[in-house]
Amino acid sequence: MPVQCSNCVQRRAVLKRPKTGHSLCKDCFFWAFEEEIHQTIVSAGLFNRGETVAIGASGGKDSTVLAHVMKVLNERYGYGLSLLLLSVDEGITGYRDDSLETVKRNQQQYELPLKIVSYEELYGWTMDAIVKQVGLKNNCTFCGVFRRQALDRGAMMLKVDKICTGHNADDVAETVLMNVLRGDIARLCRCTSISTASDGEGAIPRCKPLKYAYEKEIVLYAYFKKLDYFSTECIYSPNAYRGHARAFLKDLESIRPSSIIDVIHSGETLSIKEGVKMPVQGTCSRCGYISSQALCKSCVLLEGLNRGLPKLGIGKHHRLHGKILAQEPLTEQEEKKLKPVDF
Amino acid sequence: MCQVEEDYNGLECNQEKIPVPTKCMKCKEGTAVLIIRVNDAFCRSCFKEYFIHKFRAMLGKNRVIFPQEKVLLAVSGGAASCSMLSQVQEGLSREAPKKFRFVPGIIYIDDGGACGRSAEERQRSNALLKSIFTETGFTYFIVSLEQVFSLPTSVLVPGTSDPDPSNPSYKQAVDQYIKEKQTLTEENVASAVAQLSIADSAYSPERKLALERLFSSMKTLTAKEDMLQTLRSVFSKLLYSFCFYFLSFLSIQRLTESFVTNLQSDFPSTVSTIYRTSEKLHTVMPPQSQTAEPASKCLLCHCTLDTKVDKASAFHATLVSEQLSQIKLQDSSLDAPAQSAEQCCTEGQGCGPGGCCSSNRLPSHQDLKMLLCYSCRLTIKDMVSLRKAPHSWVQSLRVLHSSNSFYDVVDDMASQQFHM
């Protein structure tokens, strides 16, 4: 029994929207998906006319769909933005070089300028080299921290006004759950913001236009639009803690599909009690990047790598920041704790 | 995929094989019978002492219960509440100077009607629980869930989170309380009893919140400890919760329970971290300012409505999605109640049975949604029919229809959905 599209009623439905459960035809789905992102951008006031916006592009489905939709909406509604693609090369052989080929093809397909920044040129370390020193347990920490800064540095080199990333509703909901599980109150109240605050100096503001788009719908959109994207998991991702939150969220979605948005709603309406200690935002004494400690995480991790003490950034070692800043050597006992573990 | 990890201490995955200890870690003599947390082995008696100590410590920390006060214990028949009942019994029977000084009563709410249990099954459970409660010697109440619809709404008074600055220290308050109790005359007895009523606002908001926390104090103990204690306790027959027990996918609650329990086995500090996180969050929406109007309350759960939020929010996004996926249907359903209400009421005609002026008018999903908070909207979405909606709901809708605020709410909803 063919089902008619619940929007136009004329055409036959080809898919069921994971978000609302309504059956839609292809065109109505494209229109609804793009329109929702447009409403998100407009109601949150993400961009201003004339701005240059860098789209964080990894070649994966989220950033490919983001680039495509941003281009479509920019033309359709006349946002007046100049868009470009910004990609980060972490130096993971067999994974990142393949996905970068996809980004280069995206550059051709969408006719957008592309800039690639690499860990090698920024930090002097590739992920392959880092994994050799650190092992397979804490490598995601290094990658995440370095990538965040790499995006900012690339954006500063290009002199853009805003960065936008392809974080989707599933990512944001997972982050909310993770922060509850880890007891990270500071991140819990920040993680549902659709854009980071722009306070004059410091990092370039970044936003998530796909914040309310379901991952399943992004996949459907990319599939039906026949977009070119790279769909393999990073070879170094171990049993990351996020995987637990992700599995739980997927199970929740199977019981009630609106769960993903519901978790985001909860995250947005949380309020912290008075008197709870929160970190104060300052700047790193060494590189000037945003930091709540004397040294930013990136500097600490890099110092650890350069000194052959890869556990320096893992766990709390704030007392040692002073020593690191002053370029003092650490005591033997301190060094022992920070050496790499045999694996 | 991974986030930056500030602190790994609590998140170390318990994958290495640790040799099982054979002696109790506390008394060093008894044979270990169980392991708590990562590798803490306890013998029977030390575990019992540890468990009792944790329970009493939570009671003491909250400092809510005054001597001779009546405390209602909510017992579901499950492991946790049976443990609590057993602990209270033990605490009252001790000859030690730190015997509990309150007067417990028990309430059991039979929700078999909501879960589809047969009358015989419900009777059997009730009889079993009755025999257990009688043994304790405490006053007990066995009520059925459906009775809630016949309660007057005045029973429920919403609490606020304003701390009372004039609240004296606990010790002073207890001394004062004891003094007052000693000088009670017959006239005072009546007012003292009235003070114990839930609806009385003489209870400071702080105490109300603390009372809520007290009943959830069992959450500080993990499910494993609960279960072990219950197995040793007086109640050897456990009543399992009736619905959704076997398959965790049948309910979000069950799924969450199994998720946390499984995660706890790999990361032993999970439960305590989640509990500590919740302690840092408000449980009720804090008042915006002293002069602000009191916020409207949800018709179902009586919590502050959280549906008047910014345009750039998850709630707004769901409204947009609903509208975009079925644009024609949304148009007609939203305009109809406002138009028909205006028309027949202004023309002075009665609109007959089922019409908006009629006392028999049934609430529609759309009408009800306006009076509900975000989560209760999800609840009624699953409702097949509103035909058996409680009388109090229909009354609230009628009150709302007759006041101007109804049209404000309708206009507000319309503008939220169409003018973006």
Side-chain angles (χ1 to χ4, degrees):
Chain A
M1 176 86 186
V3 178
Q4 294 304 105
C5 170
S6 62
N7 189 27
C8 65
V9 196
Q10 293 159 5
R11 289 180 285 263
R12 200 188 295 186
V14 296
L15 61 96
K16 197 169 170 188
R17 275 199 86 176
K19 200 169 185 180
T20 57
H22 295 119
S23 304
L24 294 176
C25 65
K26 221 165 49 171
D27 293 318
C28 290
F29 171 63
F30 291 156
W31 180 77
F33 184 81
E34 289 158 7
E35 193 60 22
E36 278 170 20
I37 297 172
H38 169 64
Q39 293 300 339
T40 305
I41 291 173
V42 163
S43 58
L46 294 184
F47 307 116
N48 298 312
R49 182 163 279 282
E51 280 182 336
T52 312
V53 176
I55 301 172
S58 64
K61 58 174 175 19
D62 297 328
S63 49
T64 304
V65 165
L66 178 65
H68 177 85
V69 172
M70 284 294 290
K71 182 153 194 259
V72 161
L73 293 178
N74 194 29
E75 280 160 22
R76 187 185 293 169
Y77 289 103
Y79 291 162
L81 305 172
S82 336
L83 300 172
L84 46 94
L85 298 172
L86 177 57
S87 201
V88 176
D89 176 11
E90 301 102 339
I92 301 175
T93 329
Y95 168 69
R96 193 45 86 201
D97 32 8
D98 286 344
S99 72
L100 280 178
E101 291 306 310
T102 314
V103 181
K104 284 174 189 160
R105 284 200 301 274
N106 287 342
Q107 177 195 17
Q108 312 284 329
Q109 288 151 4
Y110 305 141
E111 292 163 342
L112 297 171
L114 166 67
K115 165 86 182 158
I116 302 178
V117 288
S118 73
Y119 282 8
E120 179 81 69
E121 76 186 59
L122 287 174
Y123 308 112
W125 286 83
T126 61
M127 272 313 292
D128 288 341
I130 291 172
V131 170
K132 280 203 187 75
Q133 228 205 66
V134 170
L136 288 167
K137 199 164 177 191
N138 299 321
N139 46 344
C140 287
T141 300
F142 287 83
C143 195
V145 172
F146 287 164
R147 189 187 312 112
R148 197 160 282 125
Q149 233 198 42
L151 265 179
D152 282 332
R153 293 216 204 167
M156 274 192 264
M157 278 190 242
L158 292 168
K159 294 191 182 27
V160 303
D161 300 302
K162 296 240 163 81
I163 303 171
C164 63
T165 53
H167 288 97
N168 56 45
D170 295 52
D171 293 328
V172 178
E174 279 164 30
T175 309
V176 171
L177 291 173
M178 267 186 72
N179 286 330
V180 169
L181 291 170
R182 292 166 7 146
D184 196 334
I185 285 288
R187 286 203 171 86
L188 193 54
C189 59
R190 289 195 312 252
C191 65
T192 46
S193 312
I194 195 169
S195 61
T196 59
S198 54
D199 36 5
E201 305 224 19
I204 293 172
R206 53 174 74 191
C207 60
K208 306 170 182 136
L210 299 182
K211 182 186 170 193
Y212 299 117
Y214 276 36
E215 189 173 33
K216 277 191 175 149
E217 299 207 337
I218 290 173
V219 172
L220 277 173
Y221 186 86
Y223 172 76
F224 279 112
K225 280 273 185 186
K226 297 183 175 41
L227 298 180
D228 183 6
Y229 66 91
F230 185 72
S231 60
T232 310
E233 283 252 315
C234 175
I235 54 172
Y236 289 136
S237 62
N239 289 330
Y241 193 74
R242 184 175 274 267
H244 296 288
R246 179 180 289 249
F248 177 52
L249 194 71
K250 285 293 150 196
D251 291 341
L252 274 178
E253 194 190 359
S254 67
I255 295 179
R256 186 188 266 166
S258 66
S259 299
I260 299 178
I261 285 272
D262 300 338
V263 170
I264 300 179
H265 171 81
S266 293
E268 286 172 354
T269 44
L270 285 175
S271 80
I272 317 292
K273 278 188 182 160
E274 297 79 25
V276 173
K277 197 173 152 208
M278 300 285 261
V280 176
Q281 188 183 300
T283 49
C284 173
S285 332
R286 194 179 269 184
C287 67
Y289 196 64
I290 286 177
S291 171
S292 60
Q293 315 293 334
L295 278 179
C296 73
K297 195 68 165 187
S298 188
C299 285
V300 172
L301 290 176
L302 213 52
E303 183 75 23
L305 283 173
N306 291 332
R307 288 206 201 190
L309 304 168
K311 286 181 88 177
L312 186 56
I314 315 297
K316 292 183 174 155
H317 300 289
H318 304 150
R319 297 173 286 110
L320 300 176
H321 284 193
K323 274 194 171 179
I324 298 166
L325 265 175
Q327 307 261 358
E328 280 171 25
L330 302 173
T331 65
E332 211 182 283
Q333 204 183 23
E334 287 163 346
E335 287 219 348
K336 208 172 153 194
K337 277 193 201 160
L338 303 172
K339 277 250 154 59
V341 182
D342 273 328
F343 60 93
Chain B
M1 271 186 72
C2 220
Q3 283 276 23
V4 174
E5 309 275 12
E6 285 275 355
D7 176 16
Y8 269 67
N9 299 332
L11 299 180
E12 287 294 330
C13 188
N14 219 357
Q15 280 169 353
E16 305 126 27
K17 289 238 165 185
I18 304 160
V20 176
T22 49
K23 287 288 174 200
C24 172
M25 61 158 268
K26 198 167 170 208
C27 63
K28 314 272 193 269
E29 288 168 5
T31 320
V33 294
L34 62 102
I35 295 192
I36 297 296
R37 292 186 290 265
V38 182
N39 203 22
D40 295 341
F42 280 84
C43 64
R44 269 191 204 287
S45 44
C46 288
F47 171 67
K48 193 172 174 191
E49 259 185 57
Y50 153 83
F51 193 91
I52 293 171
H53 170 75
K54 264 204 164 176
F55 182 80
R56 296 182 73 101
M58 183 49 92
L59 279 183
K61 188 175 134 189
N62 277 304
R63 298 185 163 199
V64 156
I65 300 178
F66 287 70
Q68 301 313 313
E69 271 199 316
K70 287 186 181 170
V71 177
L72 192 64
L73 307 173
V75 176
S76 67
S81 51
C82 285
S83 288
M84 174 178 70
L85 186 54
S86 155
Q87 287 296 311
V88 168
Q89 263 193 298
E90 288 227 24
L92 281 169
S93 68
R94 275 188 173 189
E95 302 309 290
K98 291 210 173 159
K99 189 174 147 176
F100 289 154
R101 295 191 282 174
F102 59 86
V103 178
I106 306 171
I107 185 164
Y108 166 69
I109 301 174
D110 169 19
D111 58 2
C115 301
R117 292 185 88 216
S118 70
E120 297 81 37
E121 285 175 316
R122 290 173 73 178
Q123 261 173 0
R124 265 203 309 275
S125 315
N126 290 355
L128 174 59
L129 279 160
K130 189 173 172 183
S131 65
I132 293 171
F133 295 160
T134 319
E135 272 180 50
T136 65
F138 305 150
T139 313
Y140 63 87
F141 304 93
I142 297 182
V143 296
S144 56
L145 186 62
E146 40 274 37
Q147 284 176 260
V148 73
F149 293 122
S150 44
L151 286 173
T153 47
S154 57
V155 164
L156 296 162
V157 173
T160 64
S161 60
D162 282 338
D164 183 2
S166 64
N167 221 7
S169 76
Y170 182 63
K171 197 170 182 305
Q172 287 169 332
V174 169
D175 290 340
Q176 192 185 357
Y177 187 82
I178 293 173
K179 238 188 266 177
E180 281 171 14
K181 284 293 241 183
Q182 282 166 351
T183 57
L184 269 182
T185 62
E186 274 195 22
E187 308 163 282
N188 290 350
V189 165
S191 63
V193 165
Q195 278 185 22
L196 290 174
S197 136
I198 300 169
D200 184 25
S201 57
Y203 262 52
S204 79
E206 206 180 49
R207 279 191 73 194
K208 270 189 196 152
L209 268 176
L211 274 168
E212 283 165 21
R213 285 180 54 189
L214 191 66
F215 291 141
S216 59
S217 67
M218 292 303 285
K219 284 177 195 157
T220 55
L221 296 161
T222 62
K224 187 178 170 184
E225 290 169 354
D226 264 344
M227 185 61 74
L228 289 165
Q229 178 59 11
T230 311
L231 287 172
R232 282 188 45 78
S233 76
V234 176
F235 310 108
S236 52
K237 287 180 194 174
L238 290 176
L239 291 175
Y240 296 102
S241 71
F242 313 107
C243 315
F244 314 133
Y245 179 72
F246 299 103
L247 296 169
S248 58
F249 275 77
L250 281 180
S251 84
I252 288 179
Q253 188 158 349
R254 279 280 154 205
L255 180 73
T256 311
E257 196 181 318
S258 69
F259 169 67
V260 173
T261 314
N262 290 337
L263 203 60
Q264 173 75 13
S265 58
D266 288 330
F267 301 96
S269 59
T270 300
V271 169
S272 55
T273 308
I274 295 173
Y275 181 73
R276 274 203 310 273
T277 311
S278 69
E279 293 262 276
K280 295 178 190 168
L281 302 170
H282 277 125
T283 48
V284 294
M285 219 182 248
Q288 304 300 313
S289 74
Q290 292 300 325
T291 52
E293 278 175 25
S296 332
K297 302 289 175 183
C298 173
L299 192 61
L300 185 56
C301 67
H302 296 271
C303 290
T304 312
L305 281 180
D306 56 352
T307 45
K308 285 201 172 173
V309 288
D310 300 330
K311 278 194 173 172
S313 67
F315 177 58
H316 175 74
T318 52
L319 295 176
V320 170
S321 301
E322 289 282 313
Q323 186 224 336
L324 290 175
S325 298
Q326 42 167 61
I327 208 167
K328 289 192 170 82
L329 290 171
Q330 200 71 340
D331 259 334
S332 50
S333 71
L334 195 61
D335 286 343
Q339 281 177 2
S340 62
E342 269 182 2
Q343 262 184 333
C344 62
C345 297
T346 51
E347 282 170 15
Q349 292 171 10
C351 41
C356 70
C357 309
S358 145
S359 58
N360 294 332
R361 182 179 186 273
L362 296 167
S364 70
H365 271 91
Q366 195 60 33
D367 293 337
L368 263 182
K369 268 188 187 174
M370 290 184 237
L371 298 174
L372 300 174
C373 67
Y374 188 96
S375 10
C376 291
R377 284 176 182 227
L378 291 173
T379 306
I380 72 151
K381 210 173 169 182
D382 293 337
M383 278 174 73
V384 170
S385 152
L386 293 171
R387 201 163 289 280
K388 293 185 181 170
H391 184 60
S392 54
W393 288 13
V394 181
Q395 269 185 319
S396 302
L397 269 167
R398 242 192 306 137
V399 166
L400 206 55
H401 273 251
S402 57
S403 72
N404 286 334
S405 56
F406 177 75
Y407 300 112
D408 292 339
V409 173
V410 169
D411 286 344
D412 208 28
M413 283 294 297
S415 67
Q416 271 186 17
Q417 294 191 24
F418 291 110
H419 306 302
M420 286 173 291

